[in-house]
Amino acid sequence: MENRTHPGWMLWLALVGALVLMLPTLAGAHNGPPFPILENQKIGPCVIALWTHPDVGTGTFFVIVEPPPGGAIPKDLKIKIGVQPESGRLPEAVYDLQPDDTRGQVQYKTLVEFDRDEFWRVRLVLESAQGGGEAFSRVEATPTGFGRWDLLFFLLPFLAVALLFFRGMSRHRKRRKRKMLPASRSLVHGG
């Protein structure tokens, strides 16, 4: 008796696998580390570094604060970030930064809304009783992932499975034809 596998169980297994892969999971949109847009900039009584991860949707800004040589970081320091599209299509949105818990480093953090993939003006404002100041930069908000290449990238596994399926079916048909060929010859020759 010939051991034949039923293609239905493979289809069922593929369906269950696809459903498991579609289960919701926590996923961050972070596809790389943040990068600096200002470094070692003296603003008011502090030296700062402004780092960002500008994803379309929700971007992140980090401000690392250091005291100037021989100075101290003011206890009443307040930091704000203003962002506005360079096109001017929206007014500037201002966000307060909150102290971020880090090891041995004074750091502030905020989340910023970017609604489009475009260049944005960034205005950093420091305020304290010892003085304040502003610094300006720009950043390009980018889509999470690979942007326009996402569809192709995420379609590749499905294309690979389809290719393997059709290759397997082709081999299966060839084997079937080879098995049927000797039987048909014997019928033709009266065997």
Side-chain angles (χ1 to χ4, degrees):
M1 180 170 202
E2 192 174 323
N3 183 12
R4 292 187 182 196
T5 58
H6 192 273
W9 76 269
M10 291 184 73
L11 183 61
W12 177 252
L13 185 64
L15 180 64
V16 170
L19 289 174
V20 167
L21 290 175
M22 287 191 285
L23 288 174
T25 59
L26 273 170
H30 191 70
N31 62 345
F35 57 89
I37 58 174
L38 293 172
E39 288 187 285
N40 297 322
Q41 186 91 26
K42 180 146 176 27
I43 303 174
C46 301
V47 176
I48 63 99
L50 175 59
W51 289 63
T52 185
H53 196 278
D55 285 332
V56 171
T58 303
T60 310
F61 282 92
F62 302 93
V63 176
I64 300 167
V65 182
E66 295 180 7
I73 297 172
K75 301 282 184 209
D76 64 339
L77 182 64
K78 291 184 180 152
I79 303 175
K80 296 179 182 183
I81 289 274
V83 294
Q84 179 182 22
E86 286 187 346
S87 65
R89 64 180 178 80
L90 295 174
E92 181 183 52
V94 179
Y95 300 86
D96 292 322
L97 280 83
Q98 303 301 319
D100 195 21
D101 205 11
T102 57
R103 290 180 256 150
Q105 186 175 25
V106 179
Q107 179 175 306
Y108 290 75
K109 176 183 174 181
T110 193
L111 301 176
V112 172
E113 295 299 318
F114 293 114
D115 67 341
R116 282 194 195 165
D117 178 4
E118 64 183 326
F119 281 97
W120 294 70
R121 289 185 204 110
V122 177
R123 183 172 63 100
L124 177 67
V125 180
L126 271 69
E127 299 170 346
S128 78
Q130 294 179 18
E134 294 183 340
F136 298 89
S137 188
R138 71 191 290 248
V139 70
E140 182 180 9
T142 55
T144 58
F146 303 110
R148 294 181 181 104
W149 294 99
D150 270 353
L151 180 62
L152 179 62
F153 179 75
F154 292 114
L155 190 60
L156 283 176
F158 297 101
L159 292 175
V161 168
L163 177 70
L164 290 173
F165 174 77
F166 287 117
R167 185 173 175 206
M169 290 302 293
S170 173
R171 286 185 175 179
H172 180 71
R173 285 185 186 142
K174 285 180 185 177
R175 271 189 254 132
R176 220 157 150 209
K177 281 184 181 179
R178 276 190 242 136
K179 285 183 180 180
M180 291 179 71
L181 190 60
S184 64
R185 284 186 183 165
S186 64
L187 291 175
V188 171
H189 295 299

